[in-house]
Amino acid sequence: MRAVQLLRAVGSRPEDYRKLFMMAPVFFICGIAETLNYNGFMALFNQRFGSDYLTYVYVAEAILLPLEAWLLSWLAGKLSKPKLMRVMFGTMIGIVVVNSIILMSFESFGVEFKWFYPAMFILSNFVVRQQTILLWGLAVDLCSTQQAKRLMPVFIGATTLGGIAAGLLAQLISLAFGPAVIYAAGAAFLLASWGNYNKVITQYLVPLSLKIESDREEEVTVSTGTVFKHALRSPFLLIVIFIMSLMPALYFLIEYELLIVTKHAYPDEQAFSRYFGMITMVLYMLAFLLQIVSGKLMARFGASKMLTAIAAVNVISFGAASIFIGGAAALPFVSLGYILIYLLYYYWAEPSYQLFFKTLPLTQRDSYRYAAQGIAASAGILIGAGLLFLHSGLHLSWTALSIVGFAVAVLLFVLAWLGRRHYMNELVSSVQSIGEQDFAESFEEFVGNPAAMSEVRRMLHHKDDSAREIALQIIGRMQDPRDADELLGMMDDPSPRIRVAAVRAMNLEKADLGAMAKVAAFLEDPDDEMRAEGVRQIARMKHLEHQAFYFLRQKLLDRHPSVVAEAVKAMYTFNNEPSIEACAEVIDRILDQGDETSVYICPVIAELGLHSFIPKVERLVEEGHPASRVAAIECLGELGYTPIIPKLLEKLPLMDQEMLKATTQSFIHMGGGAIEPLMASLPDASSKRWKATVSALAVLLPEEQVRSILIEDVLVRISQLHIAANFSPALKHLGNNELAALAELRYSEVRAFVYDGAWSVLSTLADEQVVDTIKRAVDNTDEEIRSNAWEVLAEGIGDRRLSQLMVSTHEESDEANEVNDDEAAIALLERALASRDDWWREIAAGALDGGTSDHESISTRAAEGEQEIMSDQQTMSRLSKVVFLRQVPYFADLSLEELGLIANISVEQQFPDDSPLLQRGEPNPAMYVIVDGNVELTSVSAAGWEGTIGVLGTGDVCGVTSALDGTASSVTAQSLLGDVRVLKLLGDQVERLIRLYPEIGIGLLRASFARIRLLEEMMMRIDS
């Protein structure tokens, strides 16, 4: 419980806990292992081989680094990401374990092989370097951007605490043993972390590695040579590479001085190890404390200022070393300089580099980053080795070496200062192409730099609208009242985007009456968004309440409902009786209308918590426009109105996907009060209702109840799918192929509903990102990706029983079902007749002819099935409409759910002989699907003669174009040679379904193209 409270205090959310509890121990244990490893091999190399040879080892490392980069790149191309991570971690464990065995053998048998230590140094340094990259790379891969922002401080804290613990352990071990045992202890800890590390990869990285090719963004590869060429042309990039090279070089130099000074002060191995362990412990304790303020400091000063400050610390540290290196105070001053430079280099300099690359194009950013880091790594090691060689090879004195370090630090400071100025120029130049996240990260850089802000203000007069818009975003974040006059001057700009952005950027909380009058002019702007933004700005002028009330009240009668809604929201903030009364009248009027205008007012009612309007909002659920019903459902959910739940559950089977999604979210927003009625509805819920209920309960219930209640219900539902899979074969056996096709469609839909509910439950019990990746992968068109996804699910994601049952049911669904017995087929249909699903009941009733179980009646019905349904002259049932619509080319490829939605909105209508369905030149709100009869299409030519274009029959459609685009009909359509029976579909309802279900629109397009081809053929025949 205390751990949860602590995690909440640092900003973590409940959905983060599972990942944190699994990964934080990995970072903690690896933090211990890395520090013990580092302390051990540095002490062993310094004591047994000699710090004077550190120069040559660094040169060897610089030579090997390109080979290392090539080898890792080759491995990355050959192995999948999870396998690469396992191979790399296993290799690192192997290196430190083998080194530990060799060291223990040396200790046990009293032998020594001096040249082993340079190899151990290089290999162990590789482990330290790659371990850091591997762990942070894993964390970044597993977390979404926002989750990473929440969890990274915890992971850094765990690593830092591991370093502190390692420092204490190193001191304790050194009391009785030497650095070899410290190194071996690091290997033991690294080996101990393998279990959790492998578990993290299995549960998170393997599912996330199911990449979908269409989701990948192509990245332009940039070679090292290209970076060199660009650097020669770009002073900014050249300075960045120099800074990235000099900082590690100075770190190597201060580390070298610390090792030499410490060796002189503590020549004994154990004493040396104890002091180095104490330095490590102090370093990590400071690092842990600095984590508390690091984010604030970075936000306050920005990347460029931080690098300048780090360079200044280098100057001070080497200046102090130049003064004290030859005296008794050398050890404390060099140790302090080492601690400061280490902390600043690893905890602030590295992240600050990354922001420099934000100025580059997104598709080239990573390539430039990796290429520049590769150049800087080799150059940094070579420069550092050169500085060390001044002492070890040329025997330069310690004081002279520190003075050289001081001079290099001064050069670094100058470069950082120049780099800051160039960075600002590059940032302003690239601000049009950076993303929203990059923009937010770079904002503080603008705030803290007057020259950059001056450049941004000059961008207000740029000829490009995009540049001006971004400048207005930056100024808007500043919210400086002094910018108001310049922004008001942009109100006459011809671009609506610029006018809106300028209004948003203003800070009018202390503006005078003249400014209000200028803003009030926006309230009559022809652009709706402009008027709405004007209302928002006037609402902020609470110091001029009476004048604001006057302007806002006028907008309660605005022609566009979005502006009215903003005015209502603004006037309620004044919290006085006249404002509330005026708003109540407007809200009542809009809700009474029940049309699409209520879409805008319902969110305002929810936001303001206006419970008094619940009865009228509830009425919209029954009577309103479809879009209004969605808005009303969302509003009632936000208000927590649980009495609406039974009504929504009743309507769920007939809802389209937008309304279904809104209803599910509404249940969730209602909170704990929704649990009881939703739980009560589960046992008898149809598949669609069950899916929405389970999806909501998976969020509302605690994990224990999800496991004890929902899991069992989901298991039962999935187990019952094999029964439903036999309904279609039963109908085929009885000869009713049309209803068998519908039953097969319905089985696919029911299975999808049940699996969606199962995925919702798994998302609660496992990482949501992982489950979502698997869910998308199992529906991928690539067979290999689908197969891999089912294999991952079979490993037991979230709940082992549920995930494995989903896999086995999927495998069974691929096997063809057959029903070879008449009695078995009839029994299955009778079972369908008693099903909770309304479609199963309708299909079974259609086949059983009202529920009879007589075999002869069934066989007769099966043989006649479709003909009886289609020849019925009485009012068509929903099933009859669906069977008919499925034969219409416009709707042939739709699912049963989609066909049902069309059937629900269709109205059966009959036209007597010679009655018009469409009149040329008149508006037509509906399209007509001909069920029975003939319809003649006529029109008037340019020459003025009237003629017949064609005759439509059963299954044809007329009036589509005019119904969907609202134009007048270009033809006259009337019944011919008898009565005509049609299904009437209102254009606005069809348009909504097309928006929600693109397949309907595709069907309409295909049929329209067929009609166009027919007309073209007719024209060709006329011409000939």
Side-chain angles (χ1 to χ4, degrees):
M1 181 62 71
R2 289 183 178 179
V4 171
Q5 290 175 347
L6 180 62
L7 291 174
R8 285 178 181 169
V10 297
S12 298
R13 298 178 182 175
E15 60 264 31
D16 303 331
Y17 297 162
R18 189 179 290 106
K19 192 174 289 184
L20 272 174
F21 291 143
M22 191 178 294
M23 292 184 63
V26 175
F27 279 89
F28 176 73
I29 296 172
C30 286
I32 296 175
E34 179 183 338
T35 306
L36 291 176
N37 182 9
Y38 178 76
N39 281 1
F41 80 74
M42 287 300 289
L44 286 166
F45 181 86
N46 186 68
Q47 293 289 339
R48 299 186 184 182
F49 194 79
S51 302
D52 291 341
Y53 296 98
L54 201 57
T55 303
Y56 307 103
V57 174
Y58 281 148
V59 171
E61 270 198 314
I63 295 171
L64 290 173
L65 269 176
L67 180 62
E68 175 187 317
W70 173 83
L71 179 62
L72 293 178
S73 176
W74 180 80
L75 280 174
K78 292 291 183 181
L79 303 176
S80 65
K81 187 66 176 284
K83 193 170 185 179
L84 176 66
M85 300 290 257
R86 288 189 175 114
V87 167
M88 287 293 297
F89 203 82
T91 301
M92 292 188 297
I93 291 175
I95 289 172
V96 294
V97 167
V98 169
N99 283 343
S100 299
I101 292 171
I102 295 172
L103 286 171
M104 291 298 100
S105 300
F106 286 172
E107 297 288 324
S108 300
F109 298 108
V111 297
E112 189 73 68
F113 182 65
K114 187 175 182 182
W115 291 101
F116 164 74
Y117 296 103
M120 182 194 69
F121 184 101
I122 292 173
L123 288 172
S124 299
N125 218 12
F126 165 82
V127 171
V128 169
R129 183 168 59 250
Q130 292 303 323
Q131 180 181 322
T132 302
I133 295 172
L134 206 61
L135 285 180
W136 293 116
L138 180 63
V140 169
D141 286 338
L142 300 192
C143 301
S144 62
T145 302
Q146 295 304 317
Q147 191 179 49
K149 289 180 179 179
R150 298 193 298 271
L151 300 193
M152 284 303 181
V154 181
F155 294 152
I156 292 172
T159 307
T160 308
L161 287 174
I164 295 171
L168 288 169
L169 277 173
Q171 291 193 70
L172 291 173
I173 293 172
S174 63
L175 292 174
F177 306 100
V181 176
I182 294 175
Y183 185 91
F189 274 103
L190 191 61
L191 185 61
S193 67
W194 169 256
N196 255 32
Y197 178 83
N198 190 48
K199 193 174 180 181
V200 168
I201 289 178
T202 301
Q203 292 198 13
Y204 294 105
L205 189 60
V206 171
L208 292 176
S209 65
L210 298 169
K211 299 295 184 185
I212 299 175
E213 293 298 328
S214 59
D215 291 342
R216 292 180 179 175
E217 180 180 356
E218 283 192 29
E219 182 169 311
V220 179
T221 303
V222 181
S223 66
T224 302
T226 304
V227 176
F228 267 125
K229 292 177 183 177
H230 189 179
L232 294 175
R233 297 193 304 269
S234 169
F236 167 68
L237 189 57
L238 193 63
I239 288 172
V240 169
I241 293 174
F242 269 117
I243 291 173
M244 292 173 66
S245 303
L246 291 180
M247 278 199 175
L250 289 172
Y251 166 73
F252 293 142
L253 180 56
I254 198 72
E255 180 186 56
Y256 178 69
E257 290 190 349
L258 174 68
L259 291 173
I260 298 296
V261 172
T262 305
K263 185 177 180 180
H264 283 296
Y266 300 101
D268 179 65
E269 273 192 7
Q270 290 179 301
F272 183 95
S273 298
R274 278 197 301 275
Y275 183 77
F276 214 75
M278 185 270 292
I279 288 291
T280 302
M281 185 179 66
V282 172
L283 190 152
Y284 277 103
M285 288 178 67
L286 288 175
F288 186 76
L289 295 173
L290 284 172
Q291 289 305 314
I292 301 172
V293 297
S294 63
K296 294 179 180 178
L297 285 174
M298 185 66 81
R300 174 68 181 84
F301 295 108
S304 57
K305 280 188 178 179
M306 284 303 303
L307 286 177
T308 307
I310 293 169
V313 171
N314 275 270
V315 171
I316 295 170
S317 298
F318 281 99
S322 303
I323 298 170
F324 298 105
I325 192 72
L331 185 59
F333 273 98
V334 172
S335 299
L336 179 61
Y338 169 78
I339 290 172
L340 289 175
I341 291 174
Y342 180 97
L343 287 174
L344 294 174
Y345 175 62
Y346 282 106
Y347 285 89
W348 274 313
E350 288 283 358
S352 296
Y353 296 155
Q354 309 308 317
L355 290 182
F356 282 165
F357 295 100
K358 301 284 187 182
T359 61
L360 296 168
L362 182 62
T363 54
Q364 300 180 11
R365 193 175 294 168
D366 281 344
S367 294
Y368 270 93
R369 181 189 291 121
Y370 296 141
Q373 285 175 341
I375 295 168
S378 295
I381 292 175
L382 288 174
I383 295 170
L387 292 174
L388 271 56
F389 184 76
L390 293 176
H391 175 265
S392 61
L394 301 180
H395 307 294
L396 200 67
S397 69
W398 284 111
T399 302
L401 184 63
S402 298
I403 291 172
V404 171
F406 175 78
V408 176
V410 170
L411 175 62
L412 176 65
F413 180 82
V414 172
L415 288 172
W417 183 266
L418 292 173
R420 181 167 177 261
R421 294 183 60 185
H422 283 286
Y423 174 53
M424 289 302 162
N425 293 334
E426 293 285 333
L427 196 60
V428 171
S429 300
S430 66
V431 75
Q432 297 177 51
S433 61
I434 63 177
E436 185 67 28
Q437 181 183 347
D438 298 342
F439 175 79
E441 289 175 349
S442 305
F443 172 66
E444 296 298 337
E445 298 284 355
F446 290 109
V447 175
N449 192 290
M453 283 308 301
S454 176
E455 185 65 28
V456 168
R457 288 187 173 92
R458 279 198 292 272
M459 284 174 63
L460 292 176
H461 307 287
H462 199 281
K463 62 180 179 180
D464 184 37
D465 284 354
S466 298
R468 285 187 292 160
E469 195 169 0
I470 293 225
L472 286 167
Q473 288 182 44
I474 297 170
I475 291 171
R477 285 181 173 236
M478 292 285 294
Q479 286 293 288
D480 190 342
R482 293 173 295 182
D483 291 320
D485 290 339
E486 187 168 7
L487 296 175
L488 285 168
M490 301 181 70
M491 292 305 98
D492 297 327
D493 194 279
S495 170
R497 284 171 47 197
I498 298 301
R499 294 202 302 272
V500 171
V503 175
R504 286 176 180 165
M506 293 180 190
N507 181 357
L508 300 173
E509 292 178 357
K510 297 181 180 179
D512 57 18
L513 193 58
M516 174 178 276
K518 289 183 179 179
V519 174
F522 313 153
L523 301 180
E524 303 306 322
D525 195 276
D527 185 81
D528 298 331
E529 187 180 0
M530 188 68 181
R531 296 198 306 279
E533 194 59 47
V535 168
R536 295 187 196 102
Q537 289 295 343
I538 287 180
R540 298 175 65 184
M541 301 182 183
K542 292 185 172 57
H543 57 293
L544 300 172
E545 181 176 337
H546 295 295
Q547 293 85 348
F549 177 83
Y550 170 77
F551 289 117
L552 293 175
R553 180 158 188 149
Q554 295 180 10
K555 290 293 101 183
L556 293 177
L557 301 174
D558 193 90
R559 63 180 177 272
H560 198 276
S562 66
V563 181
V564 175
E566 286 295 336
V568 168
K569 187 162 59 175
M571 290 186 67
Y572 255 96
T573 61
F574 291 126
N575 199 27
N576 58 52
E577 196 66 29
S579 296
I580 294 174
E581 287 180 1
C583 291
E585 291 177 7
V586 172
I587 295 174
D588 278 328
R589 172 174 54 81
I590 293 175
L591 294 179
D592 288 338
Q593 290 174 355
D595 55 17
E596 285 185 278
T597 57
S598 55
V599 170
Y600 297 93
I601 207 65
C602 282
V604 175
I605 294 172
E607 184 179 342
L608 298 175
L610 305 179
H611 291 78
S612 60
F613 294 101
I614 283 179
K616 291 193 174 184
V617 175
E618 186 177 5
R619 194 179 67 208
L620 285 178
V621 177
E622 292 281 355
E623 304 171 2
H625 183 277
S628 299
R629 290 203 296 272
V630 172
I633 291 170
E634 291 173 342
C635 176
L636 293 172
E638 293 284 352
L639 294 173
Y641 184 63
T642 56
I644 193 65
I645 291 177
K647 189 178 294 184
L648 293 178
L649 289 172
E650 182 183 350
K651 292 179 172 296
L652 254 168
L654 301 179
M655 288 183 179
D656 58 46
Q657 63 182 12
E658 183 180 29
M659 203 171 295
L660 177 65
K661 182 179 179 181
T663 301
T664 306
Q665 287 300 314
S666 182
F667 291 156
I668 294 171
H669 289 146
M670 289 175 190
I675 292 177
E676 186 176 346
L678 291 178
M679 290 292 294
S681 73
L682 267 182
D684 299 320
S686 62
S687 54
K688 193 172 182 180
R689 184 184 299 154
W690 179 86
K691 171 205 167 183
T693 304
V694 166
S695 299
L697 287 172
V699 177
L700 295 172
L701 291 174
E703 185 174 323
E704 297 78 15
Q705 288 185 300
V706 171
R707 291 189 181 277
S708 62
I709 299 174
L710 284 190
I711 285 290
E712 297 302 324
D713 197 78
V714 177
L715 291 173
V716 171
R717 289 278 176 162
I718 294 178
S719 300
Q720 292 173 345
L721 285 174
H722 77 278
I723 300 172
N726 291 313
F727 293 160
S728 180
L731 287 163
K732 284 183 181 178
H733 175 73
L734 296 172
N736 197 328
N737 292 326
E738 186 62 42
L739 291 182
L742 292 182
E744 191 172 346
L745 287 175
R746 187 56 184 169
Y747 171 72
S748 298
E749 292 170 355
V750 168
R751 182 176 174 276
F753 286 140
V754 173
Y755 268 63
D756 281 345
W759 290 121
S760 299
V761 172
L762 288 179
S763 293
T764 301
L765 302 178
D767 184 78
E768 186 176 355
Q769 185 184 8
V770 167
V771 174
D772 183 63
T773 301
I774 299 174
K775 181 182 176 183
R776 287 187 291 110
V778 298
D779 293 328
N780 194 265
T781 54
D782 189 300
E783 185 178 350
E784 185 178 355
I785 293 177
R786 289 200 310 273
S787 176
N788 291 339
W790 287 113
E791 286 181 16
V792 170
L793 189 62
E795 293 292 325
I797 300 296
D799 182 87
R800 185 171 293 275
R801 290 185 302 158
L802 176 55
S803 57
Q804 291 183 347
L805 181 60
M806 291 172 70
V807 174
S808 62
T809 305
H810 165 73
E811 291 171 350
E812 290 173 4
S813 68
D814 291 338
E815 301 173 2
N817 296 317
E818 289 187 8
V819 177
N820 299 316
D821 182 72
D822 290 348
E823 291 184 4
I826 295 169
L828 281 167
L829 293 183
E830 288 176 338
R831 191 162 186 172
L833 194 63
S835 169
R836 291 169 292 201
D837 188 85
D838 55 344
W839 277 113
W840 291 137
R841 293 196 301 271
E842 287 190 47
I843 292 171
L848 292 169
D849 194 19
T852 180
S853 60
D854 179 74
H855 176 61
E856 269 186 50
S857 174
I858 293 295
S859 300
T860 303
R861 179 60 179 171
E864 298 174 357
E866 178 186 332
Q867 287 76 16
E868 286 198 17
I869 290 174
M870 294 312 306
S871 63
D872 185 5
Q873 295 300 314
Q874 304 301 317
T875 302
M876 298 173 73
S877 67
R878 180 173 69 152
L879 182 62
S880 301
K881 290 179 180 179
V882 165
V883 171
F884 167 70
L885 288 170
R886 198 159 183 271
Q887 300 175 21
V888 177
Y890 279 75
F891 311 114
D893 297 328
L894 302 185
S895 68
L896 182 59
E897 188 76 18
E898 294 159 353
L899 288 168
L901 291 171
I902 295 174
N904 289 334
I905 65 171
S906 68
V907 178
E908 189 177 356
Q909 192 170 345
Q910 189 151 331
F911 291 88
D913 188 19
D914 286 335
S915 298
L917 285 72
L918 307 173
Q919 288 283 6
R920 182 177 179 276
E922 294 183 6
N924 169 43
M927 56 185 282
Y928 300 95
V929 185
I930 302 171
V931 178
D932 186 40
N934 300 298
V935 173
E936 181 185 26
L937 300 181
T938 61
S939 189
V940 178
S941 70
W945 55 269
E946 183 176 356
T948 299
I949 298 175
V951 177
L952 306 180
T954 300
D956 288 328
V957 182
C958 63
V960 177
T961 305
S962 55
L964 292 179
D965 65 11
T967 59
S969 176
S970 59
V971 297
T972 295
Q974 64 182 24
S975 53
L976 178 68
L977 302 176
D979 296 348
V980 172
R981 190 156 56 109
V982 299
L983 292 179
K984 178 181 178 181
L985 300 169
L986 292 177
D988 59 343
Q989 293 179 330
V990 176
E991 185 179 351
R992 172 180 168 80
L993 289 179
I994 291 173
R995 179 169 55 84
L996 297 176
Y997 301 93
E999 293 82 1
I1000 296 176
I1002 292 171
L1004 292 174
L1005 278 174
R1006 285 174 180 166
S1008 297
F1009 290 153
R1011 181 70 54 78
I1012 291 170
R1013 284 194 296 272
L1014 178 62
L1015 291 174
E1016 287 175 345
E1017 291 172 3
M1018 290 175 62
M1019 291 175 66
M1020 289 175 67
R1021 285 198 296 267
I1022 292 171
D1023 289 341
S1024 62

